[in-house]
Amino acid sequence: DSGVTQTPKHLITATGQRVTLRCSPRSGDLSVYWYQQSLDQGLQFLIQYYNGEERAKGNILERFSAQQFPDLHSELNLSSLELGDSALYFCASSGRGGVGNTIYFGEGSWLTVV
Amino acid sequence: AQSVTQPDIHITVSEGASLELRCNYSYGATPYLFWYVQSPGQGLQLLLKYFSGDTLVQGIKGFEAEFKRSQSSFNLRKPSVHWSDAAEYFCAVGIFGNEKLTFGTGTRLTIIP
């Protein structure tokens, strides 16, 4: 158990819909990362927040957005969903941010778009 | 930009046999290197990491990896695999000042009795 909690574990939704994935980082961790794992793209970095502020942005679509709240939990919002958005979405956390700090991953949220 | 190559998509080894999973990276300076393991239905678990210093790194579950700058490699090894080692293994690279990890495409390990 990494200490990173993600909900829901599985989600099935229709094209065009919007979903929210939730992440609670390890206790005390200030930095939260979101990654997408799909068959064709592999593991892709989406975005990182540090203590409530956006720190780095990767291959995140404009239809996707994220935020980190004062209690440090984070949400990833996916809208206007397409079939290609079906993937495993990982949240990860680390203490202070920066690649030199070990990043701990949650078990992921499986999203299926039908 | 940094990149990671895991040339072996799938490897099958017998239980008790030795294992080596290959990882090559592309980056001009010394990167931070990681190996993660993903068991079916599970998240990614960090096996080991290399930042600097001793080029032979020991990790959890009996794994080790060796950083070879001349070959731009960071291969993962285990002297004797167990059936529970069956999983997907990912090599990742990070660079100082950049928050993201770049992952390889993964190597799926199958263990046969």
Side-chain angles (χ1 to χ4, degrees):
Chain A
D1 182 4
S2 67
V4 179
T5 304
Q6 292 187 244
T7 57
K9 293 193 184 305
H10 301 274
L11 188 58
I12 301 174
T13 190
T15 54
Q17 295 298 304
R18 170 190 168 96
V19 298
T20 297
L21 308 180
R22 194 178 191 278
C23 171
S24 295
R26 292 190 325 148
S27 178
D29 281 359
L30 299 177
S31 197
V32 169
Y33 307 77
W34 287 98
Y35 282 80
Q36 179 195 57
Q37 185 180 32
S38 62
L39 284 176
D40 54 345
Q41 297 289 326
L43 267 163
Q44 298 282 322
F45 169 74
L46 295 179
I47 198 164
Q48 182 216 359
Y49 279 80
Y50 178 77
N51 203 20
E53 300 289 329
E54 182 182 306
R55 172 75 70 92
K57 184 177 282 191
N59 303 322
I60 188 167
L61 300 173
E62 287 190 8
R63 299 183 286 110
F64 297 177
S65 65
Q67 54 184 327
Q68 186 179 27
F69 295 86
D71 66 353
L72 300 178
H73 92 271
S74 177
E75 293 181 355
L76 179 66
N77 300 295
L78 315 174
S79 62
S80 303
L81 285 167
E82 302 175 358
L83 296 177
D85 298 327
S86 296
L88 180 58
Y89 291 85
F90 283 113
C91 174
S93 73
S94 68
R96 297 189 303 277
V99 75
N101 294 280
T102 298
I103 299 175
Y104 295 89
F105 283 77
E107 295 187 355
S109 292
W110 277 101
L111 173 65
T112 302
V113 183
V114 297
Chain B
Q2 68 270 32
S3 65
V4 181
T5 301
Q6 293 181 250
D8 303 307
I9 296 174
H10 184 204
I11 284 183
T12 300
V13 299
S14 299
E15 189 168 14
S18 64
L19 171 71
E20 182 169 28
L21 302 182
R22 295 184 292 166
C23 172
N24 293 97
Y25 68 90
S26 173
Y27 179 59
T30 300
Y32 298 149
L33 296 161
F34 306 81
W35 275 99
Y36 282 85
V37 60
Q38 183 180 22
S39 298
Q42 301 294 313
L44 294 160
Q45 182 182 23
L46 180 67
L47 287 175
L48 47 78
K49 60 186 179 183
Y50 172 79
F51 290 165
S52 65
D54 193 347
T55 57
L56 185 62
V57 181
Q58 301 298 320
I60 63 171
K61 304 184 179 187
F63 285 92
E64 67 178 26
E66 186 172 12
F67 170 60
K68 293 186 177 181
R69 185 191 305 275
S70 61
Q71 299 176 20
S72 297
S73 69
F74 188 58
N75 294 348
L76 182 71
R77 302 193 294 249
K78 187 169 184 178
S80 176
V81 297
H82 185 263
W83 63 266
S84 60
D85 293 326
E88 185 107 22
Y89 291 79
F90 292 91
C91 182
V93 62
I95 58 175
F96 180 78
N98 190 324
E99 300 294 337
K100 73 171 189 176
L101 291 180
T102 298
F103 284 86
T105 50
T107 297
R108 184 160 61 95
L109 175 64
T110 298
I111 309 295
I112 56 176

